[in-house]
Amino acid sequence: MPINRRQMLAGTIAGAGGLTVSPFMHSVMAAVQRRSEDNARPPMRFVFLIKSNGLWAEMIQPKGMTDRLPFKLEYDEKGRLVNSDHGNIRKSPTPAADIEMEEDTQLSDVMQSLQPYAGQISILQGINSGFSTYHMGCYQTLGGFQARDRNSRQTKCQTVDSMLAHAFPAPIRHVCLGHDPNSPSGVAYVPTSAEGAGKPIPFYTRPKRAYKERFGVVYQGAARNEYDVQTGILDFYSEDAKRVRKNVAGPEREQLDRYLSAFESIKESRRAVESISDQLRKHAPAPPQEVDANATMKIGQGNADIAIASLLSGLTNVVTLRFDLLGSTSYEGIGGLHGGVGHGQVKNVLKARQTICRFQFDQIARIAAALKSIPEGDGTMLDHTVFAYTSDNGETHHSSGVNFPIMLLGDMGGRLKTRRYFAPGDAEVDRSKPGYTRLGDVWATLIADADHPSDKFGLTLNGVPHQPLSRPVR
């Protein structure tokens, strides 16, 4: 029988052998059991990596295959495509292709740190979103739905990362890490992931805050005392809210219930961390120093450290890492992401974008290397992990969402094909037919191959539900 949040907070449920445990402990026990059974299939893991400001297709195009793009890679002195019609040429249909790349295929210059994993990578080009974007896709990108208008922060359904996090529970269901220099608290609703309509997921935007809340249990001395004091304060607020709740009704009670749910959710997270403290202590990174909120790359490196530790320790099976945020992010030595890079105010736009993408792929390579270093089953943790890297809004700064470049790394325990290069081609007239490939269909493929019903994902676009691809990666 489904258990709603109020039941979860108020009571317990019966576990195996009649033992009464909380729903939270069920997830902990499930994670521990998977790790302790030698013959059990390792859990699948997913790492979603999202950049802002568009992803130029050539950034992920393998060497020797640039002629398959719908434009020539000829740039002016500012690093802009020659005869690009203000970037609109990037919205041209990518020629159709479904190719198995050679084992010795060389990745693009900015992806060189991932060259050791080239045999596990697939490149998808020209994937149409099926919805309208401009500066930002926000929750639409991982949600596969059309919001009320472009750049809207509306949440209409559960995003793919959240759905997979529910499918593969761990002590902490979903670790979300991002960047927002306008968030002094270190937590913000970076518009990326949602648990459902009207349920955006908050992101840690400061590695130090993420470390304290996810790994604070491994602290010693004064730092551990601070962690314990915070836990005590949460207990006090929670109990106080319960007492007040008995004496209020109507809208006041509903508002109080939201506060109570938030308190209990934080307490659950802390109990989850404490239950696997030995594993956390083994894999926890060094406590990060306080970093300037505008130091985007340092924050990105710190977030990658948190992601590595969260995955290696078994704290979570799903991480979403949002590298930057259009409108507020600046990159060290480059300038503002919106005006500087997006509007071409930097000296050379191509070099700026290459530097940013290279940094992001370097972080992906660090996470992949860490997972590859840990034996699991007949292989390593990397063999049971899938990375998905794309842009929040598609092909360029002012996007239409018609060409989403996507890099996939990992074969999901042999369920996904790798070394694939795929582009659906110019299917303008077929966008209302089942065979047309949309961004949500790529996410539906991951969900289906994870043995989870994909028909519950997203909202119907153009009258056609999202459906797993029969090609190129299956």
Side-chain angles (χ1 to χ4, degrees):
M1 180 178 68
I3 299 172
N4 60 35
R5 171 162 286 278
R6 184 51 51 200
Q7 289 172 313
M8 180 183 294
L9 299 181
T12 58
I13 62 176
L19 177 65
T20 300
V21 297
S22 69
F24 153 73
M25 280 306 299
H26 268 291
S27 65
V28 174
M29 291 164 62
V32 171
Q33 185 176 15
R34 282 196 302 269
R35 286 174 166 267
S36 64
E37 294 176 355
D38 293 337
N39 296 324
R41 186 174 68 183
M44 294 183 189
R45 301 177 189 85
F46 300 87
V47 184
F48 290 87
L49 307 116
I50 308 297
K51 74 180 298 294
S52 300
N53 202 31
L55 174 59
W56 283 6
E58 61 265 39
M59 295 296 134
I60 66 169
Q61 190 75 352
K63 293 180 179 179
M65 300 181 73
T66 56
D67 60 340
R68 293 188 173 277
L69 294 174
F71 45 79
K72 292 183 179 181
L73 298 185
E74 298 176 354
Y75 305 93
D76 62 18
E77 69 282 355
K78 290 281 291 182
R80 300 168 299 198
L81 284 177
V82 175
N83 300 321
S84 67
D85 185 24
H86 301 287
N88 286 326
I89 194 171
R90 295 185 176 280
K91 302 172 185 178
S92 303
T94 303
D98 187 2
I99 302 169
E100 181 176 1
M101 296 188 289
E102 299 294 333
E103 291 187 9
D104 60 352
T105 295
Q106 290 295 303
L107 302 179
S108 67
D109 287 338
V110 300
M111 291 180 65
Q112 283 306 295
S113 59
L114 287 175
Q115 189 62 45
Y117 311 101
Q120 298 167 268
I121 286 176
S122 288
I123 301 295
L124 282 64
Q125 294 278 24
I127 304 298
N128 193 289
S129 65
F131 51 80
S132 176
T133 68
Y134 189 59
H135 281 129
M136 302 173 68
C138 299
Y139 300 98
Q140 299 174 103
T141 302
L142 294 181
F145 66 88
Q146 175 66 64
R148 65 173 63 95
D149 53 54
R150 63 186 190 178
N151 301 331
S152 172
R153 298 196 178 203
Q154 180 184 22
T155 57
K156 295 177 70 174
C157 62
Q158 190 175 27
T159 52
V160 58
D161 50 348
S162 175
M163 185 170 285
L164 289 167
H166 281 259
F168 295 94
I172 299 297
R173 181 175 287 149
H174 191 182
V175 172
C176 295
L177 308 162
H179 179 247
D180 183 358
N182 296 326
S183 171
S185 69
V187 176
Y189 285 104
V190 179
T192 308
S193 306
E195 287 201 315
K199 297 180 179 179
I201 298 175
F203 276 58
Y204 288 110
T205 58
R206 302 285 183 89
K208 188 172 183 178
R209 173 75 182 267
Y211 184 93
K212 287 177 67 175
E213 295 198 4
R214 293 307 182 213
F215 297 92
V217 69
V218 306
Y219 280 151
Q220 301 294 328
R224 177 54 195 258
N225 290 339
E226 179 184 350
Y227 178 88
D228 290 339
V229 167
Q230 290 175 348
T231 301
I233 291 172
L234 284 171
D235 288 338
F236 172 79
Y237 281 148
S238 180
E239 293 303 316
D240 199 41
K242 289 178 182 178
R243 286 192 294 270
V244 173
R245 184 180 184 276
K246 298 177 182 179
N247 300 312
V248 297
E252 291 82 5
R253 175 172 286 192
E254 292 179 6
Q255 181 66 35
L256 198 59
D257 281 347
R258 283 193 282 270
Y259 284 123
L260 181 57
S261 293
F263 290 143
E264 293 293 344
S265 179
I266 296 171
K267 288 169 61 179
E268 285 176 17
S269 296
R270 291 198 168 217
R271 288 195 293 267
V273 170
E274 291 163 4
S275 71
I276 57 170
S277 58
D278 290 341
Q279 291 172 231
L280 294 179
R281 191 169 287 108
K282 180 180 178 181
H283 296 289
Q289 300 298 314
E290 193 64 62
V291 177
D292 187 291
N294 292 301
T296 306
M297 291 184 176
K298 289 184 179 179
I299 288 177
Q301 291 169 340
N303 283 342
D305 289 338
I306 298 295
I308 290 169
S310 299
L311 292 165
L312 296 191
S313 65
L315 184 66
T316 192
N317 291 321
V318 180
V319 171
T320 301
L321 200 165
R322 179 68 182 258
F323 284 110
D324 43 32
L325 190 62
L326 190 69
S328 58
T329 292
S330 293
Y331 274 91
E332 301 93 313
I334 296 175
L337 194 60
H338 191 150
V341 181
H343 290 176
Q345 296 171 3
V346 297
K347 184 176 181 180
N348 189 290
V349 180
L350 174 63
K351 291 181 179 179
R353 284 184 174 271
Q354 287 174 329
T355 299
I356 291 169
C357 285
R358 184 177 291 108
F359 165 76
Q360 293 170 355
F361 284 120
D362 286 351
Q363 305 318 303
I364 298 172
R366 289 179 56 221
I367 301 172
L371 292 170
K372 189 175 182 179
S373 71
I374 304 298
E376 184 177 63
D378 295 330
T380 70
M381 290 182 71
L382 182 60
D383 295 322
H384 305 102
T385 304
V386 173
F387 294 75
Y389 171 86
T390 190
S391 168
D392 150 77
N393 69 321
E395 63 275 359
T396 190
H397 176 69
H398 290 153
S399 291
S400 296
V402 294
N403 286 332
F404 265 81
I406 302 171
M407 182 213 71
L408 299 177
L409 190 164
D411 65 0
M412 200 183 288
R415 299 184 180 208
L416 290 178
K417 292 180 182 179
T418 55
R419 292 195 292 119
R420 307 301 299 180
Y421 175 82
F422 174 73
D426 184 5
E428 182 78 30
V429 298
D430 296 326
R431 290 183 182 177
S432 63
K433 298 178 181 179
Y436 186 74
T437 301
R438 299 156 301 175
L439 181 63
D441 299 327
V442 177
W443 306 144
T445 303
L446 298 184
I447 295 168
D449 281 357
D451 292 331
H452 196 66
S454 62
D455 60 336
K456 304 297 183 183
F457 170 69
L459 299 177
T460 296
L461 291 173
N462 299 329
V464 181
H466 292 300
Q467 54 217 326
L469 302 176
S470 58
R471 58 189 177 92
V473 292
R474 303 182 80 207

